Amino acid sequence: MTAERDFIPLNLCVLTVSDSRTLANDSSGDYLIQSLTDAGHRLVERKLLPDDRYKLRAAVSQWIADEAVDGILVTGGTGFTGRDSTPEALLPLLDKQMPGFGELFRALSFDEIGTSTLQSRAFAGLANATFLFCLPGSTSACRTAWEKIVSAQLDARTRPCNLATLRPRLKE
Ligand SMILES: Nc1ncnc2c1ncn2[C@@H]1O[C@H](COP(=O)(O)OP(=O)(O)OP(=O)(O)O)[C@@H](O)[C@H]1O
Ligand SMILES: Nc1nc2c(c(=O)[nH]1)N[C@H]1C(S)=C(S)[C@@H](COP(=O)(O)O)O[C@H]1N2
C-alpha cells in the first residue's frame, strides 16, 4: 500500500494584466487569490500591470529570480485584440514550455463556450523551477483553468504526478 502524501503549501504570486481594471474591480485576480489560499497555498505578492510587455517581463523576471517564489499565476492579455501581448512578453522567459496546457485548457473550455476559446492563447511553463500559468482575463476562464487543471497540478497529494511533487527535482 502506498503512503498518503502530504500537502505541500506553495508560495505563489498573482499578476493581473489589464489596461482598464484596477484592484477595486480585478475579479479574476481576486478569484485566483481566494482559490489558492482556500487550497492552502500562500500568496507572496499581487500585482496589476498594463498590457506593456516590458513591464510584464520585468515583474515576472523578478519573481522567477526569487528563490522563495514557487509559482506565478497570470490573468489577462492572452487574446488577439487590442494590446494583448502576454504570450509575446512572457514566453521568452520560459526555460521549458508545458506542452498541452493551452490545448487542454481550450478543449475543456470548448465544452463551455464553444469555438470562442480559440481566441485565448493561454499557456504555461517553467523558468528557474518556477511554474508560470498564463490564463485569460475572464473570471470564468480562470475558474475553468483553476478547477480543472492548475489546482491539481499544484497539489502534492494528486496522483500520479504533479508539479508540487516535482518541484525539488526540477533543478537537479
Ligand atoms: N481582471 C479581470 N477581472 C474580471 N474580469 C476581467 C478581467 N480582465 C478581463 N475581464 C473580462 O474578461 C473578458 C475579456 O476581456 P478582455 O479581452 O479585455 O481581457 P484581457 O485582459 O485582454 O484578457 P484576455 O484577452 O486574455 O481574455 C471581458 O468580459 C472582461 O470584462
Ligand atoms: N472557460 C472559459 N471561459 C471563457 C474563455 C475561455 O477560454 N474558457 N474565454 C473568455 C474570453 S477571452 C471571452 S472573449 C469570452 C468569449 O465568449 P463569447 O462566446 O461570449 O464571446 O469567454 C470568456 N470565457
Side-chain angles (χ1 to χ4, degrees):
M1 202 172 87
T2 354
E4 285 289 311
R5 287 188 224 180
D6 289 332
F7 179 76
I8 303 170
L10 298 172
N11 296 321
L12 304 174
C13 293
V14 171
L15 169 61
T16 298
V17 180
S18 174
D19 284 332
S20 56
R21 297 270 161 174
T22 66
L23 284 177
N25 63 4
D26 175 20
S27 328
S28 294
D30 290 343
Y31 169 77
L32 291 172
I33 290 167
Q34 188 70 47
S35 301
L36 75 88
T37 50
D38 283 354
H41 301 296
R42 292 180 285 251
L43 177 71
V44 177
E45 194 175 10
R46 169 193 206 158
K47 284 192 178 186
L48 190 153
L49 291 172
D51 297 77
D52 174 315
R53 67 185 72 180
Y54 304 102
K55 288 190 174 132
L56 300 182
R57 268 178 211 160
V60 172
S61 294
Q62 200 177 17
W63 285 337
I64 288 170
D66 185 341
E67 298 297 327
V69 174
D70 300 316
I72 302 163
L73 306 180
V74 179
T75 169
T78 70
F80 288 105
T81 60
R83 290 172 9 105
D84 286 335
S85 54
T86 300
E88 288 70 24
L90 302 184
L91 277 170
L93 303 184
L94 295 179
D95 297 328
K96 293 173 183 169
Q97 287 197 50
M98 204 180 292
F101 173 83
E103 286 76 4
L104 176 58
F105 169 74
R106 284 180 287 275
L108 294 165
S109 296
F110 178 76
D111 294 338
E112 297 163 357
I113 63 159
T115 56
S116 295
T117 190
L118 293 176
Q119 292 150 34
S120 158
R121 299 180 294 148
F123 66 95
L126 300 165
N128 191 28
T130 305
F131 320 130
L132 177 71
F133 291 94
C134 293
L135 315 175
S138 97
T139 309
S140 78
C142 290
R143 183 175 297 110
T144 302
W146 176 266
E147 289 182 352
K148 298 192 174 167
I149 311 177
V150 181
S151 59
Q153 278 297 304
L154 299 184
D155 189 332
R157 295 165 301 186
T158 308
R159 288 183 175 80
C161 192
N162 59 77
L163 288 172
T165 310
L166 209 57
R167 189 162 198 276
R169 292 174 24 219
L170 295 175
K171 283 194 174 179
E172 282 172 5

